[in-house]
Amino acid sequence: MFEGLGRFIHRGRKPLLILTLVFAVLSGVYGVGVFGDMKPGGFEDPKSESRKAALLAEKAFPQRAPDAVVVYRSDDRTVDDPAFQKAVVGKISSLPKSVVTGSAHFWMTKMPSQVSRDRHATYVAMNLHGSDDNTKEESYKKIKDKLDVAGFETLRGGPVPTGHQAGEEIGKDLGAAEGFSFPILFLLLVVVFGGLAAASLPLLVGGLSIIGSMAVLRVIAQFTDVSVFAMSLVTILGLAVAIDYGLLIVSRYREELQAGRTGADALARTVATAGRTVVVSGITVAVALFGMTFFPFAFLKSMAYGGVAAVVLSVFFSIIALPAALAVMGPKVNSLSLRRKKRAAAPKASDEGAWFRLAHGLMRRPVAVAVVTLGVLLALAIPFLRIEFGANDARQLPNTAEGRQVHNIMEKDFEGDGIKSIDSLLKLSGPAQSPEQGAALQAYADKLAKVPGAKGAQISGAEGTSARVSVTFDGVAVSPEARDLVNDLREVPVPDGATAYFGGETAVFDDTLDALADTLPWMLLYIAVATYILLFLAFGSVLLPLKAIAMNLLSLSATFGILVWIFQDGHLADLIGFDPTGNIEPNMPIMLFALIFGLSMDYEVFLVSRIREQYDTLGDPTAAVATGLQSIGKLIASAALLMCVPLAAMATSGVLTMTLFGVGMVIAILLDVAVVRILLVPAVMKLMGRASWWAPGPLQKLYARYGIKEGDAALDDASKERVPVAG
């Protein structure tokens, strides 16, 4: 199949390139509008109890927990000055009621907690129109430039402004990361290939992948919510994966030219070998990323949409457009060389070179290598056992951001927390303001106040047949103690005929963790089964897929252990440039798991495909590992280095979640390639011997019929090249 595809591409190379150009232009024109169609937020479960509470509160009365907190400070006036009151209250009163559905300022509430210790500052808590993050942010955009008061310092914070500022910061950081990555990647590709022509081709695939993914996301956005954060993954992953695949295709084509093949034969062989590897690898990565659609959160679903689009398009352009370009260029792919021309030398034998010697050195003591490597990975994974989850807040922003400044001021200059509560939203069987319902509500509030951990409870709203009882408490809203309190409050009997939905920051966080815990096992099962089937169809072995999955889990555990040690415990905070929060946002490990698992399989497929190719040629499992690593080791190391460039650029982001993402991906890739693929795989495959390629009879027949193979011509070519190698 792949060999035939290569010959088809060679025949139709020019029309295919023209179609690629048309696709790029149309995708670019259409895809650029995706930014206007994407939505912020997406971190809440739309079917959760806290979501129902938010919808009920939006209909009945403004929520107690504010969507925005605006701090006003005057250097020469205090809140006791009538001019201070007139300026702030006048500004708040002028805001459109259709946007600001409720507000609470000091002169209304008389709460001391709304006045700073020096009495030169106060904050206004606002509720914005909308029942979800998306619509509330749209409301905030309408008033954010209308909040300033002349002569006063004005700072915008709280959940919605902080989320908006985070999105803007990420967009700025992405632009900087792209601007930094492209020239560095090009220079590194020039070093790898030794010429300008070959170096430009993987970047071309990356650009096509990003442009195409933007168009795909815009189409998807017409039918469902797509988070604005998906573009960060499309940009980084599309570039990184496309360069990996482009590097593999171009390197193999140049290798075929060096071996004396030209024209259709060289391209057919390239697509039959490297093209097949790219397809298997891309499908495996896409399958892992698709697992994020199992979760109910728009954020994770959007990451899946963007990631799958970027990977699938990278595969498509790598096996269609890139081979067509190579067919047109032919030997000119080596043009514009920056290396001094040398007399042509015979190709180095596959049993010579540093990678070959390294593999044999590892396989001389496979037990020792495996035990030491496994011990290191398990030791690195230990901190993962004590991971603590926490919700995103203003601490994810740099200190220069207004939302972060509001957070710091609230902690430093104000006493207590007058805006934190757990709210029970009730749908009653009768009018909330009737004497009977009022008495029942008060009795319910008294019961809630007696729950251990609750500081107090009061009826904070009654409208129609809806009511709200707010429970105050001490401590952090997303702490385990606060989550326990929410669950204890849910056990309190509600008034007869009533239904209660608990909302507020703590309830939202608790529902988020519950949804993640309920869905995660199904995602893991899906990824494991799908990956196993794909790898079996690729290699015809029942043991290699198990080995690959086990090694990936080890690599992932070690990576998460390092991330806990850095970002939760705060080690290296000054070096990397972030403020530790003592916890990790729960969506990030899920996204990192899908990405790292998929990309780890990327390198597994690269390496094992070449080993399988050598095994089919040589018939010796030990020699196949050594010669396979010799032929692909440098390329895998180069691909990993290239992939780390845009990810390292992302790690410089001022937003903590993006920093964690970038650092986590770089650690995972380096750990996976340097420790797992280069050290552990040769040792384990030496111990497995010929069993690496074993499958029972019925499965052998299944593989023979449905396996993802290179192609008859390629296999025949390989069999002719078989040479005996000493064991």
Side-chain angles (χ1 to χ4, degrees), residues 518-571:
D518 291 343
T519 310
L520 182 59
W522 296 106
M523 173 195 173
L524 296 178
L525 179 63
Y526 152 76
I527 290 178
V529 172
T531 300
Y532 185 91
I533 293 173
L534 282 169
L535 293 184
F536 170 76
L537 293 176
F539 303 126
S541 166
V542 297
L543 297 181
L544 281 179
L546 292 176
K547 174 201 68 85
I549 292 171
M551 287 184 178
N552 272 21
L553 294 178
L554 277 171
S555 179
L556 276 161
S557 299
T559 298
F560 287 148
I562 296 172
L563 290 179
V564 168
W565 184 79
I566 294 175
F567 288 94
Q568 181 174 302
D569 299 346
H571 298 99

Side-chain angles (χ1 to χ4, degrees), residues 129-186:
H129 172 72
S131 58
D132 55 33
D133 293 338
N134 299 333
T135 52
K136 287 180 179 179
E137 180 159 356
E138 291 303 318
S139 295
Y140 171 68
K141 290 178 183 178
K142 296 177 182 178
I143 62 163
K144 71 184 184 71
D145 295 327
K146 301 177 181 180
L147 296 170
D148 291 306
V149 174
F152 288 76
E153 179 185 12
T154 305
L155 296 172
R156 303 153 185 82
V160 175
T162 296
H164 176 71
Q165 293 160 24
E168 290 186 328
E169 184 72 24
I170 289 172
K172 182 181 69 176
D173 293 341
L174 277 176
E178 291 175 20
F180 170 82
S181 298
F182 267 94
I184 298 297
L185 287 170
F186 182 70

